[in-house]
Amino acid sequence: MTSQPFAQAQPIVFTVPDMMCGSCGKKIIAAVTGVDPTSVVTADPETKLVTILTRCDEGMVRHAIEQVGFEVAP
């Protein structure tokens, strides 16, 4: 039997228009892992996309990103 640590996790993709650099991406990653330490997060300033694999609901993750000063596109 194999372990499936993310079997319950849901993928979420956000567009964050004001993510301009790698430092912005690191702040977003830290915000998301602050609410779900087991999440897997990538933040690409070039495409403005944040991809998250998490067990948290979308609203909670969106709020965490907004709390550190970034707008999440609707």
Side-chain angles (χ1 to χ4, degrees):
M1 188 170 189
T2 59
S3 175
Q4 296 180 347
F6 296 107
Q8 303 279 338
Q10 62 176 349
I12 301 170
V13 179
F14 289 130
T15 300
V16 181
D18 52 349
M19 177 176 44
M20 300 296 178
C21 64
S23 179
C24 295
K26 288 178 183 178
K27 289 178 186 176
I28 291 168
I29 291 168
V32 175
T33 57
V35 296
D36 180 3
T38 66
S39 64
V40 177
V41 187
T42 59
D44 185 350
E46 188 174 313
T47 63
K48 312 291 188 197
L49 294 178
V50 177
T51 305
I52 306 152
L53 189 60
T54 181
R55 291 183 175 92
C56 291
D57 77 13
E58 185 174 320
M60 180 181 279
V61 176
R62 177 185 296 267
H63 181 72
I65 294 169
E66 291 171 344
Q67 286 296 108
V68 293
F70 294 94
E71 177 186 348
V72 177

